[in-house]
């Protein structure tokens, strides 16, 4: 079994600042990390490797500095890594990124069929959650998103059973592979790398592919292949309103709650109209 985990190197969102004049993201001096959502998928792939002996390949698209993210993933236990890097990829939106990553996975499949593609649920910089489903659609894979647990991977029947969180509870899904999985945050904790894996990560040669190595249509990557336009980035203005304290001294809890709701409805008449209208309609 061959598993591909798509990861992305992102700036640490806790330290990102917006330039006050140009309204652009200031990346200088901001450390780069593996997208935290990707680590939940990487750990799940490694657990399948532990149980089945599968081979895990990590794949990323980015500048040459993204090599550090791949080597970090190798230190956790991944077997091999592919860096997709080319100036032609610069400016790719989710549509172009999913095309480039799909092209790279198809090239990997020339060596060994891929049973599972793992992606992070979303990234902390773009926050779109579109790349994983985009890869899934382009490759015609079974799509398993918001997964909280992988119950079973049966290589004999080529089937996988997972738990998926939904609005009404938890769904247990069983489907055939190949499939694409995005793990929900908090479902596991990335392991510490062993000393052997750390040494291996430092000396393992990476596969470095350019546009010419795997992409058939250069008009589908980079700015040419990206219809998304970010017109403005800005920091929301902080609200000056303070929380209002309602002091009570005994009294009927129901009457106090009703008085608090009346106070909220007084300052939020639209909210009151919407809620009362929905209640009247039976929603």
């Amino acid at each position: 079994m061959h598993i591909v985990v798509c990861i992305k190197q992102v700036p640490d969102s806790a330290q990102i600042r917006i330039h006050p004049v140009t309204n652009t993201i200031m990346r200088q001096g901001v450390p780069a990390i593996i997208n935290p959502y990707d680590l939940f998928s990487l750990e799940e792939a490694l657990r399948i490797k532990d149980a089945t002996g599968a081979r895990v390949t990590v794949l990323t698209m980015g500048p040459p500095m993204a090599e550090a993210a791949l080597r970090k993933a190798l230190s956790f236990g991944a077997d091999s890594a592919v860096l997709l890097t080319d100036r032609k990829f610069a400016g790719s939106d989710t549509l172009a990124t999913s095309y480039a990553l799909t092209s790279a996975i198809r090239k990997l499949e020339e060596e060994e069929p891929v049973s599972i593609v793992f992606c992070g649920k979303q990234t902390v910089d773009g926050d779109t959650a579109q790349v994983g489903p985009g890869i899934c659609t382009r490759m015609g894979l079974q799509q398993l998103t918001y997964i909280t647990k992988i119950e079973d991977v049966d290589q004999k029947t080529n089937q996988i059973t997972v738990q998926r969180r939904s609005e009404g509870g938890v769904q247990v899904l069983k489907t055939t592979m190949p499939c694409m999985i995005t793990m929900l945050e908090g479902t596991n904790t990335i392991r510490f790398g062993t000393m052997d894996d750390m040494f291996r990560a430092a000396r393992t040669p990476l596969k470095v592919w350019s546009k010419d190595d795997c992409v058939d249509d250069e008009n589908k990557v980079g700015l040419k292949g990206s219809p998304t336009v970010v017109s403005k980035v800005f920091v929301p203005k902080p609200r000056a309103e303070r929380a209002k304290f309602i002091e009570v001294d005994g009294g009927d809890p129901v009457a106090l709650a009703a008085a608090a709701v009346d106070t909220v409805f007084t300052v939020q008449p639209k909210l009151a109209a919407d809620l009362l209208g929905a209640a009247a309609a039976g929603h």
Side-chain angles (χ1 to χ4, degrees):
M1 177 183 288
H2 186 197
I3 300 172
V4 173
V5 184
C6 298
I7 67 172
K8 182 180 182 182
Q9 187 183 56
V10 298
D12 188 345
S13 58
Q15 301 187 41
I16 286 181
R17 294 168 296 156
I18 304 295
H19 194 284
V21 177
T22 63
N23 281 330
T24 56
I25 295 176
M26 299 169 64
R27 298 176 183 269
Q28 293 82 2
V30 178
I33 60 174
I34 297 177
N35 174 45
Y37 292 106
D38 299 342
L39 295 177
F40 300 114
S41 288
L42 176 58
E43 172 59 26
E44 208 61 36
L46 294 174
R47 291 183 181 187
I48 295 176
K49 173 187 173 182
D50 294 340
T52 67
R55 189 164 72 87
V56 176
T57 298
V58 284
L59 166 66
T60 193
M61 186 179 85
M65 64 179 288
E67 174 183 339
L70 291 174
R71 295 203 179 278
K72 186 70 175 177
L74 289 171
S75 75
F76 291 133
D79 298 288
S80 59
V82 179
L83 172 59
L84 200 57
T85 185
D86 195 303
R87 288 185 178 275
K88 294 287 185 180
F89 295 142
S92 292
D93 66 1
T94 56
L95 188 68
T97 299
S98 66
Y99 174 76
L101 292 174
T102 298
S103 300
I105 295 171
R106 285 178 173 151
K107 184 175 175 63
L108 285 170
E109 285 194 311
E110 294 175 0
E111 303 173 3
E112 182 179 358
V114 175
S115 299
I116 304 175
V117 176
F118 275 101
C119 295
K121 187 190 74 172
Q122 62 198 81
T123 58
V124 295
D125 56 351
D127 219 24
T128 63
Q130 295 173 347
V131 172
I135 294 172
C136 183
T137 300
R138 291 181 184 281
M139 298 190 67
L141 306 176
Q142 300 292 330
Q143 181 170 257
L144 300 170
T145 55
Y146 293 93
I147 301 304
T148 56
K149 183 179 181 181
I150 295 179
E151 289 191 349
D152 184 53
V153 178
D154 191 332
Q155 296 187 75
K156 293 183 179 178
T157 60
N158 202 36
Q159 291 184 321
I160 184 169
T161 306
V162 301
Q163 293 183 11
R164 179 181 190 272
R165 184 174 300 172
S166 64
E167 291 185 1
V170 176
Q171 301 170 332
V172 178
L173 305 175
K174 186 174 186 178
T175 188
T176 56
M177 297 181 283
C179 60
M180 190 286 302
I181 297 174
T182 63
M183 296 299 299
L184 206 58
E185 65 272 22
T187 51
N188 59 46
T189 302
I190 190 67
R191 63 191 62 189
F192 287 103
T194 65
M195 190 61 70
D196 287 344
D197 281 331
M198 290 181 184
F199 283 124
R200 181 179 57 83
R203 62 174 181 265
T204 296
L206 306 183
K207 293 179 180 177
V208 181
W209 292 344
S210 68
K211 167 188 69 64
D212 295 332
D213 291 317
C214 58
V215 172
D216 295 328
D217 187 351
E218 69 173 71
N219 291 319
K220 293 184 178 180
V221 298
L223 291 174
K224 288 183 180 179
S226 302
T228 304
V229 176
V230 180
S231 60
K232 184 179 181 181
V233 177
F234 63 95
V235 178
K237 294 181 179 178
R239 299 181 62 177
E241 299 178 21
R242 293 186 176 181
K244 185 177 180 180
F245 290 91
I246 302 175
E247 295 185 1
V248 297
D249 185 13
D252 179 25
V254 175
L256 291 171
V261 170
D262 288 340
T263 302
V264 172
F265 282 179
T266 301
V267 296
Q268 297 283 350
K270 185 176 183 306
L271 174 64
D274 291 345
L275 291 177
L276 293 175
H283 296 305

